[in-house]
Amino acid sequence: MTTDFTPAIAELGHVGIRCHDVARQLEFYTGTLGLTLTDHDEKLGVWFLSARPDTEHHEVLLASGRTAGPDVGLIQQVSFRCDSLESVIGFFRRFREQGVTLDMVVSHGNAVGVYFYDPEGNRCEVYWQTGLEARQPFIEHIDLDTDTDQLLERIRESVARYGDTGFTASSYVEWTRTNNEKATSAGESE
């Protein structure tokens, strides 16, 4: 056996999420996000979901048995890549129509993302890669109700201005500070 082989990760395969109410989570991930249920085992309390069932059996696993309270931050985010800006805008509109709690709608320069919470408070994102290069973090709030051509032009201009250095909107800095303080306080009170 050779010892000079360096293993490498090919890609992220799937994320497993323990749930309080699997039925509610399952409805959200299949109904709102449109993932396909590929398998399940009710006795074991596991449900397998995929956006690409022909090529990836599951990308999300929903499992019963969450014991942490709803105020416990377990997942920083789960992100779902879309093939078009139109899909991201479509999800943004669907989320508003269905009353999904939004966190932020931003340009990362290299991507446009809508951050939202699933029914159990797990932070998720749908995003589209712009094809532009931008040093991260790059977080600029955007309005997806803007004309698409105008929006893309603003993103290109912003990347031309800040792409080499990165950019973080002051409101995001404040949001991060506040959420980190809340997380620290919650951890200290346990």
Side-chain angles (χ1 to χ4, degrees):
M1 175 183 265
T2 62
T3 58
D4 60 348
F5 174 76
T6 304
I9 301 294
E11 62 187 26
L12 178 64
H14 62 271
V15 174
I17 303 171
R18 289 214 180 267
C19 308
H20 290 291
D21 184 343
V22 174
R24 185 173 178 212
Q25 290 285 77
L26 191 59
E27 173 57 32
F28 180 80
Y29 281 88
T30 59
T32 300
L33 290 181
L35 299 180
T36 299
L37 178 66
T38 58
D39 263 327
H40 72 283
D41 185 319
E42 291 189 37
K43 288 181 184 175
L44 293 178
V46 292
W47 287 259
F48 302 90
L49 307 165
S50 181
R52 306 171 296 137
D54 293 338
T55 58
E56 192 70 48
H57 179 269
H58 62 283
E59 295 157 307
V60 174
L61 166 84
L62 298 178
S64 59
R66 181 171 176 171
T67 57
D71 59 335
V72 175
L74 299 175
I75 297 173
Q76 194 276 338
Q77 74 189 51
V78 176
S79 297
F80 300 92
R81 186 176 57 78
C82 296
D83 288 334
S84 68
L85 177 59
E86 291 74 18
S87 284
V88 171
I89 293 169
F91 277 116
F92 170 70
R93 291 178 180 154
R94 179 183 293 172
F95 296 158
R96 281 196 311 200
E97 290 167 4
Q98 294 184 7
V100 173
T101 302
L102 296 178
D103 181 26
M104 61 184 178
V105 179
V106 297
S107 164
H108 291 303
N110 64 358
V112 169
V114 175
Y115 290 79
F116 60 95
Y117 294 95
D118 75 11
E120 292 193 358
N122 297 304
R123 185 172 178 239
C124 300
E125 174 194 22
V126 291
Y127 71 97
W128 167 72
Q129 296 173 325
T130 64
L132 303 171
E133 291 187 26
R135 184 179 187 281
Q136 300 299 309
F138 190 112
I139 300 165
E140 186 170 33
H141 295 279
I142 58 173
D143 181 359
L144 291 182
D145 289 321
T146 303
D147 173 78
T148 304
D149 291 335
Q150 291 175 350
L151 177 64
L152 289 172
E153 182 57 30
R154 288 180 193 158
I155 291 170
R156 282 190 287 274
E157 289 171 359
S158 186
V159 169
R161 187 176 310 124
Y162 303 113
D164 291 339
T165 60
F167 176 81
T168 305
S170 58
S171 58
Y172 180 75
V173 173
E174 179 61 26
W175 177 90
T176 301
R177 186 186 62 74
T178 301
N179 281 308
N180 286 340
E181 287 174 0
K182 286 180 188 175
T184 302
S185 299
E188 291 172 355
S189 66
E190 292 176 358

